[in-house]
Amino acid sequence: MCEPRFGAVRDAFARNFDDGREFGASVAVYQRGRAVVDLWGGSATAQEEWRQDTVALLASATKGLVAAAAMLLVDRGQLDLDAPVADYWPQFAAEGKAAIPLRWVLGHRSGVVTIDPPLTLADIEQSTPVIEALAAAKPAWRPGQAHGYHCLTMGWLVGEVIRRVTGLPAGRFFAAEIASPLALDLYVGPPGGRHDRLADLVVPTGQQLLRGRPDPGLGGLNQAICDPASLFHRSTFGSFVLTADPLASVHQAEIPSCGGAGNAAGLARLYAALIGEVDGIRMLRPETADRARTVEASGMDLVLRCQTSYGRGFMLPGGPMWPGTCSPTAFGHAGVTGAFAFADPDNDLAFAYVPNRMAELIEGGHDRARDLIEATHRCAIS
């Protein structure tokens, strides 16, 4: 489905396939609380076409789901962004973390980015070892004095606060309070740890990765990826013992920072409900949505080693991690699998793109997502 006014989005989506840049994908757009684009195409696996109900791994776009859950509790008065995390989770106060407010965790300012010794899949599935490790963790910098992407830890940290307030893990709270009322095909780890509608992930070749190395905006990140002593390396590969199939393991383990799955229709509908009414449901009051997109941190990211900007659990426009043109009031989240979604309050717009070929960002650009976002922006303001 694509309304005529958004025909340029359909054209951009088709070009991604015609040019051989896409394997399988979905893209969706809401404006003024109503779906105006819902497209899918290509292949989910080597044997199956992408269907309307196909879902794909979201990677860090999952953080947007957890952030939405946290902000819903803020909206209900059950969480206070300025309250110390230790007020909800007393054990977290260890190693100088007693004064870290929840908003510093959501804004990637807490410094709690590494876990030593690294967690195993068994640790993650048991949950308790993860929570104990985070409670005992020492911040990598003085909390509040800098910011750096909490690659794995943000979801666990915020998720534990959600669990202590509601009695439910973040994924189950999201399912019950957000996904179910809005009928979203979005999951933070699907029931049973598997999903028979899940698309295969197409990873880049070594040659494709090498093409991304010269990107000047990502020079620091590319160096950090190869440096075991870097905060990026220590907060990802150094904090989790990888298995033979790490991406499948992440999905199965229900990691709230990066283990989600879904499609563009679900993501766009979620973001639309964060800034307006969708079929009679609005998740956040306008003032709470404004708080979600309030700048918490901006500038050089100590982990990603590039310019980033964060609100309360959401990425904000600016820097190489945000492709395309949008309103300065936009907020959303990207994932290394190529998934990207955002809300644009100025234009009452929500956009989502979910492919199963990993982000071109690490191959030296993100043309697929950028082209779709640019087309959406032009259509929305015309």
Side-chain angles (χ1 to χ4, degrees):
M1 182 276 292
C2 181
E3 292 195 352
R5 185 163 65 91
F6 284 84
V9 180
R10 179 193 289 272
D11 294 342
F13 191 57
R15 276 197 304 274
N16 284 342
F17 288 96
D18 293 341
D19 294 345
R21 295 185 291 169
E22 202 72 270
F23 188 74
S26 59
V27 62
V29 179
Y30 272 66
Q31 191 169 37
R32 302 181 186 91
R34 190 171 57 82
V36 293
V37 176
D38 183 10
L39 302 170
W40 61 91
S43 301
T45 70
Q47 294 79 34
E48 297 180 0
E49 293 184 349
W50 194 291
R51 304 186 306 266
Q52 184 176 13
D53 65 349
T54 296
V55 296
L57 296 175
L58 300 177
S60 283
T62 309
K63 291 182 176 73
L65 280 58
V66 175
M71 292 309 298
L72 178 60
L73 290 170
V74 170
D75 193 78
R76 293 175 176 177
Q78 294 178 261
L79 281 182
D80 182 349
L81 290 173
D82 294 314
V85 171
D87 283 4
Y88 305 102
W89 177 8
Q91 297 85 347
F92 184 74
E95 295 290 348
K97 304 194 298 295
I100 294 176
L102 178 61
R103 63 184 177 86
W104 286 3
V105 176
L106 287 164
H108 302 270
R109 296 175 64 196
S110 79
V112 184
V113 295
T114 63
I115 300 174
D116 186 27
L119 299 165
T120 66
L121 185 60
D123 291 334
I124 294 169
E125 289 176 335
Q126 293 171 31
S127 181
T128 299
V130 179
I131 303 312
E132 291 176 345
L134 290 169
K138 184 176 181 178
W141 60 81
R142 186 177 177 183
Q145 298 301 300
H147 79 277
Y149 189 50
H150 293 34
C151 301
L152 291 175
T153 58
M154 188 200 115
W156 281 321
L157 292 169
V158 177
E160 180 61 9
V161 173
I162 290 173
R163 188 188 70 82
R164 294 199 174 226
V165 168
T166 69
L168 295 173
R172 293 182 193 173
F173 178 79
F174 177 84
E177 299 295 328
I178 299 179
S180 180
L182 284 168
L184 305 178
D185 215 354
L186 294 177
Y187 310 88
V188 184
R194 62 180 296 276
H195 210 304
D196 57 9
R197 296 184 284 122
L198 185 66
D200 289 343
L201 188 63
V202 180
V203 300
T205 65
Q207 186 177 17
Q208 288 169 330
L209 288 173
L210 287 174
R211 284 205 300 267
R213 291 293 181 258
D215 188 327
L218 296 171
L221 174 58
N222 287 326
Q223 291 177 3
I225 290 172
C226 303
D227 179 6
S230 72
L231 271 179
F232 176 83
H233 204 283
R234 289 164 52 205
S235 67
T236 52
F237 312 119
S239 293
F240 178 35
V241 178
L242 297 176
T243 64
D245 190 357
L247 291 165
S249 298
V250 163
H251 183 53
Q252 179 182 350
E254 200 167 325
I255 298 176
S257 273
C258 54
N263 53 33
L267 271 179
R269 188 173 173 86
L270 167 65
Y271 278 92
L274 295 180
I275 60 169
E277 192 172 289
V278 178
D279 292 337
I281 299 173
R282 179 167 187 153
M283 281 290 143
L284 304 178
R285 290 172 296 166
E287 56 268 34
T288 309
D290 287 344
R291 296 184 75 187
R293 62 179 179 80
T294 297
V295 178
E296 185 65 45
S298 186
M300 181 54 64
D301 189 300
L302 296 186
V303 174
L304 298 181
R305 293 187 181 178
C306 64
Q307 296 291 318
T308 57
S309 185
Y310 302 105
R312 277 67 187 266
F314 298 98
M315 287 183 169
L316 304 178
M321 295 297 169
W322 188 291
T325 302
C326 63
S327 161
T329 64
F331 61 98
H333 220 290
V336 74
T337 53
F340 189 81
F342 66 87
D344 178 347
D346 279 353
N347 295 300
D348 204 355
L349 184 75
F351 168 91
Y353 165 64
V354 177
N356 62 344
R357 178 178 174 230
M358 288 184 74
E360 288 174 300
L361 181 69
I362 57 175
E363 299 173 20
H366 31 50
D367 293 340
R368 290 174 293 159
R370 185 193 64 201
D371 290 352
L372 291 167
I373 292 168
E374 296 283 2
T376 298
H377 184 73
R378 291 194 306 270
C379 295
I381 64 175
S382 62

